[in-house]
Amino acid sequence: MECTVSMNAPPPNISSCTIILPVFNGLSLVIDCLESVRAWTDLEQHRMLIVDDCSDASTQAFLESTAGEHANIRVLRNDTNLGFLAACNRGLASAETEAALLLNSDVVVSPGWLEAMLGCMNRDPRIAAVNPLTNRAEQISLDLPPGSNFLGMNETLARGEGAALDVVTPVGFCLLLRRAALDEVGGFDPVYGRGYCEESDLCMRLLQAGWRTVVADDVYVYHRGGGTFVDRDQRYQVNRRIFDQRWKKAYRERFRGFRKADPLGPTRAAFAARSRWEPKPMVWQTARAMLDARARSDWPGLVEQAARGVVRTLRSRQPRVRAEIVERTRRKNRLAVTYVLDQMVIAGGVLSVIQLVNELILQGVEARIATRFVDPLVLQWTRLYTRPMVFRSERELIDGLPPTDLAVATLWKTAPWVANLVERGRARHGVYFLQDYEPWFFPESRPDLRRRVQQTFGLLPHRIVKSDWLGGKLAADGFDSHKIRLGMDLGRFYPRDVAHGQPTVMAMARPGTAYRGFSTLIEALALVRRRVPELRIVLFGARDLGQHSVPFDFEDAGVIQDMDRMAQLYSSADVFIDSSDFQGFGRCGLEAMACGTACVLSSAGGVTEYAVDGRNALLVAPGRPAAFAEAIVQLLEDAALRTRLVEGGSATVGEFDHKREAGETLAYFRTLADAKSGHA
């Protein structure tokens, strides 16, 4: 079948576009997506159509508020959740411009993004579909090199001449479509239900009709990817069978030609780094899968995971850090800041660093992470706008770290590393980011270890703390500090639309960490259960709770990797408890407040930075299970008190936004960088 485009008189260049953004919850992602579109898109020339697929009340309010601020942003709301495919088709049917761009809400765009994609489409009137390059998009991905961020990659690629690289099946995450082509072949086929394979089917129809589907190699955007559908595997299998019935032979022939031509090969080679065998990440991943299988008593599954793990571990490779690529892909004349982590694992302190790095990148900083190990689960746990630089040892990190304006220690172990980096001239300034009073990580019976940690405070001239309490502890040890209150992603933690049934108490249970008050918690909850037999108890934070003596029935939520699930659990609880002996700040209590849950918290540590007894929480001295039990029962029985504390908590959390924290951090870093002229 021949393309219907007339080649005698080429059509005029397409200059306007309708950006179609289907949204179903995911408010945190939506906020970053929309902020990037508004910052880097001419919305006087182009239009934006948000299809709200029956999101929750908070997401709906944000979308309506955003649309109210600009005449060329409009919201269409579905009364019921129709799914991604139907939402896209509704948007396409409402678009009146010569081109429409489908944009996923987990995408963050870059400066010049839409102009580059339209420019690519205008190179050839036969081009029907255009993707940008990105970090995650099936066969058209371009991996970020270690130490690079997506904005720096975009700036680097934009300096090239630009080309339209033919591909077989572009991906729907950020897909520019020509209206004339859609009028010929139609939009997404509803036979694919709620999604998967629909964009591949569309592109095969375009290709068979003589159109081109391409990638623009001079633009790069960030894509979170990964999918959040609980039935994604089953749905994919069903839709793949439909796709194969239509296109199996034709697709295989085209895909074979695509692989042979390898149009993205030269671009990938330009940013590739030598890799080496690195077994540790796969060992961790395999061990976790085996432990999960053992917890389910799935012995065949345990053996299968072990066998798969051996194969994956033997194949596991990791790219080396190439300083010349980091330098080539960095945005010019920007402050360079490198956070140094011992290990990137699932932990609140690591989340704080990732949040800061992401926001600093968006605010114009060349922010990076250097570490000795990355748990693969971290990259599934949250988005990260840069790729961590992984070194095998302290020595390799110090020798191989690209030059930076500021190096930031994040734990007592890393403070000597940062001091060494400054001494060797690889960093102009050293900063210690303290998130807890680390000497107390060790018991009083080990004063030698406590003194060792205290001595690291003096290795660097600048210290950042999250709370007055933590600043006071350092002052007592003879060290000054600069306070920047913790920031929290309020697009992630907010009251969710969940049904409340039986009285529910939720608590963080960390038996493996001595100062988290596990014995106090269990004794307190046992007392409460005797007085409120119908109580539902939800515990989270550990993988091995079943191995500990807990004298009551409870729901074990384990180590929660999905922050949206975390927010759902907070929202379903009437009361949240943190019985820790101390907290450097106490992130969980603030998260629970943000989700509309009344809190009972220990009165020791940085919790008092935000928690006020009787105003937004009930505070109890640590180590007093009977007092904790009494406070919990009081909240369960007194609905008016519970409501008052929830309202107080809601008023409090607005002061702890993570974008505010990043802005204050950047202002402080600039004062340090300005103390000496020039950047790294």
Side-chain angles (χ1 to χ4, degrees):
M1 183 174 181
E2 295 296 323
C3 174
T4 59
V5 176
S6 170
M7 299 306 295
N8 296 325
N13 283 346
I14 296 174
S15 59
S16 63
C17 176
T18 300
I19 303 163
I20 299 166
L21 180 70
V23 173
F24 177 63
N25 297 331
L27 180 55
S28 173
L29 296 168
V30 172
I31 289 171
D32 277 4
C33 178
L34 279 172
E35 286 187 354
S36 70
V37 170
R38 294 180 67 183
W40 293 316
T41 311
D42 183 356
L43 289 177
E44 298 299 327
Q45 179 175 354
H46 306 290
R47 304 173 188 178
M48 186 166 200
L49 188 59
I50 302 171
V51 184
D52 179 4
D53 200 17
C54 199
S55 298
D56 61 35
S58 295
T59 305
Q60 179 185 3
F62 173 77
L63 296 177
E64 296 290 351
S65 174
T66 300
E69 296 172 2
H70 203 290
N72 269 6
I73 300 179
R74 188 159 62 101
V75 176
L76 297 176
R77 180 169 171 85
N78 295 333
D79 293 331
T80 58
N81 179 249
L82 302 178
F84 176 79
L85 187 152
C88 287
N89 277 346
R90 185 181 183 192
L92 289 171
S94 301
E96 298 176 350
T97 49
E98 299 169 282
L101 186 140
L102 298 175
L103 185 67
N104 282 14
S105 59
D106 62 349
V107 170
V108 182
V109 301
S110 308
W113 71 292
L114 189 50
E115 289 79 4
M117 293 180 69
L118 285 169
C120 180
M121 179 169 280
N122 286 328
R123 286 191 178 96
D124 183 349
R126 296 178 300 128
I127 293 177
V130 181
N131 270 139
L133 289 167
T134 188
N135 57 297
R136 188 165 186 174
E138 304 294 339
Q139 300 293 330
I140 61 171
S141 295
L142 173 62
D143 290 340
L144 282 172
S148 302
N149 64 68
F150 79 99
L151 291 172
M153 279 290 285
N154 180 68
E155 188 172 291
T156 303
L157 291 166
R159 293 195 288 266
E161 295 182 2
L165 308 177
D166 286 276
V167 296
V168 180
T169 52
V171 186
F173 74 102
C174 181
L175 182 60
L176 179 66
L177 295 166
R178 188 185 294 268
R179 168 59 61 188
L182 288 177
D183 289 343
E184 179 181 345
V185 306
F188 291 148
D189 191 333
V191 73
Y192 291 100
R194 300 180 69 86
Y196 282 123
C197 301
E198 71 280 353
E199 72 264 55
S200 298
D201 180 272
L202 171 61
C203 291
M204 285 301 296
R205 282 184 275 136
L206 290 168
L207 290 168
Q208 293 294 88
W211 295 93
R212 292 176 63 193
T213 58
V214 306
V215 168
D217 75 345
D218 57 349
V219 58
Y220 194 96
V221 303
Y222 171 83
H223 181 212
R224 171 74 175 88
T228 58
F229 301 113
V230 295
D231 63 340
R232 60 183 179 271
D233 292 336
Q234 179 183 2
R235 187 188 305 177
Y236 173 78
Q237 294 300 328
V238 170
N239 285 359
R240 183 58 192 257
R241 284 194 291 271
I242 297 171
F243 179 84
D244 284 345
Q245 286 171 359
R246 293 180 173 182
W247 304 110
K248 186 174 183 178
K249 182 179 179 181
Y251 176 77
R252 282 185 174 178
E253 290 177 356
R254 288 186 177 274
F255 191 73
R256 194 177 299 116
F258 165 73
R259 292 290 296 269
K260 183 177 181 180
D262 192 17
L264 274 68
T267 305
R268 287 172 173 154
F271 297 98
R274 285 188 304 159
S275 64
R276 61 186 173 191
W277 183 55
E278 188 55 65
K280 189 174 179 182
M282 283 300 103
V283 169
W284 271 54
Q285 196 161 308
T286 301
R288 188 159 39 231
M290 291 174 65
L291 287 171
D292 289 343
R294 188 180 72 174
R296 301 189 305 268
S297 297
D298 179 9
W299 308 118
L302 188 150
V303 174
E304 180 182 356
Q305 291 296 338
R308 287 183 178 180
V310 169
V311 174
R312 291 172 179 170
T313 299
L314 291 173
R315 296 175 178 173
S316 178
R317 302 191 68 81
Q318 195 168 75
R320 294 174 181 264
V321 178
R322 288 181 59 186
E324 66 274 18
I325 291 184
V326 176
E327 180 60 29
R328 178 154 63 95
T329 58
R330 68 173 286 182
R331 292 170 288 173
K332 305 307 178 187
N333 302 315
R334 306 292 181 114
L335 185 70
V337 178
T338 304
Y339 282 81
V340 181
L341 289 159
D342 179 34
Q343 298 187 101
M344 283 185 68
V345 295
I346 300 291
V350 173
L351 176 61
S352 290
V353 171
I354 291 173
Q355 278 189 170
L356 268 173
V357 167
N358 282 344
E359 285 303 317
L360 288 172
I361 288 170
L362 295 179
Q363 294 186 28
V365 177
E366 285 299 289
R368 310 163 187 154
I369 294 175
T371 185
R372 293 188 304 123
F373 170 68
V374 177
D375 180 353
L377 200 57
V378 170
L379 304 180
Q380 302 172 30
W381 179 43
T382 188
R383 58 192 182 274
L384 182 55
Y385 297 151
T386 181
R387 186 169 185 175
M389 298 177 287
V390 183
F391 301 90
R392 279 185 170 170
S393 65
E394 170 191 350
R395 176 53 51 196
E396 184 177 281
L397 187 153
I398 293 169
D399 290 341
L401 189 77
T404 187
D405 291 308
L406 292 97
V408 185
T410 57
L411 187 70
W412 66 272
K413 290 182 180 180
T414 64
W417 307 356
V418 171
N420 201 334
L421 288 167
V422 174
E423 181 180 349
R424 297 185 55 180
R426 304 196 73 83
R428 294 182 182 277
H429 302 275
V431 182
Y432 197 163
F433 178 38
L434 289 125
Q435 303 191 65
D436 219 326
Y437 189 61
E438 296 171 358
W440 284 5
F441 288 0
F442 300 98
E444 291 183 64
S445 60
R446 293 300 308 271
D448 56 325
L449 293 177
R450 288 191 168 191
R451 281 194 301 272
R452 181 182 173 189
V453 176
Q454 285 172 328
Q455 289 168 358
T456 65
F457 297 160
L459 293 177
L460 300 170
H462 311 290
R463 287 158 290 274
I464 298 174
V465 295
K466 292 182 175 182
S467 64
D468 286 328
W469 175 82
L470 188 51
K473 296 301 297 180
L474 263 68
D477 290 335
F479 302 99
D480 60 5
S481 60
H482 180 81
K483 187 183 84 168
I484 301 175
R485 288 175 302 170
L486 175 141
M488 188 172 59
D489 187 348
L490 299 178
R492 185 77 80 180
F493 295 100
Y494 61 87
R496 304 303 177 98
D497 300 335
V498 294
H500 283 262
Q502 65 193 103
T504 299
V505 169
M506 181 179 176
M508 178 182 66
R510 297 269 295 276
T513 309
Y515 52 87
R516 289 301 181 227
F518 180 71
S519 60
T520 297
L521 173 69
I522 298 305
E523 189 174 341
L525 289 176
L527 293 171
V528 176
R529 172 59 66 79
R530 292 185 197 129
R531 294 175 61 177
V532 188
E534 72 275 20
L535 183 68
R536 171 179 172 242
I537 298 173
V538 180
L539 303 180
F540 74 94
R543 292 186 177 277
D544 59 350
L545 280 180
Q547 300 178 23
H548 295 264
S549 178
V550 178
F552 49 78
D553 294 332
F554 66 94
E555 295 179 22
D556 185 359
V559 177
I560 300 176
Q561 303 157 13
D562 184 343
M563 294 299 102
D564 284 307
R565 178 172 175 249
M566 189 83 197
Q568 292 277 351
L569 285 173
Y570 281 136
S571 298
S572 71
D574 299 289
V575 180
F576 170 78
I577 313 148
D578 184 347
S579 58
S580 298
D581 297 335
F582 73 95
Q583 286 271 18
F585 185 88
R587 169 189 292 275
C588 290
L590 195 64
E591 290 173 351
M593 284 185 185
C595 294
T597 308
C599 294
V600 178
L601 308 172
S602 290
S603 59
V607 166
T608 54
E609 189 69 26
Y610 64 87
V612 180
D613 188 39
R615 181 185 298 175
N616 56 19
L618 296 183
L619 301 184
V620 178
R624 297 179 58 192
F628 269 99
E630 191 61 39
I632 295 165
V633 172
Q634 184 183 4
L635 281 179
L636 291 173
E637 294 179 345
D638 190 341
L641 173 61
R642 202 164 63 243
T643 299
R644 189 172 78 246
L645 295 186
V646 167
E647 291 174 349
S650 179
T652 297
V653 296
E655 304 172 15
F656 294 89
D657 178 66
H658 68 306
K659 295 180 183 292
R660 183 270 315 155
E661 179 191 16
E664 292 181 10
T665 301
L666 175 54
Y668 179 62
F669 284 167
R670 280 177 173 158
T671 64
L672 300 182
D674 289 344
K676 293 182 181 180
S677 61
H679 297 313

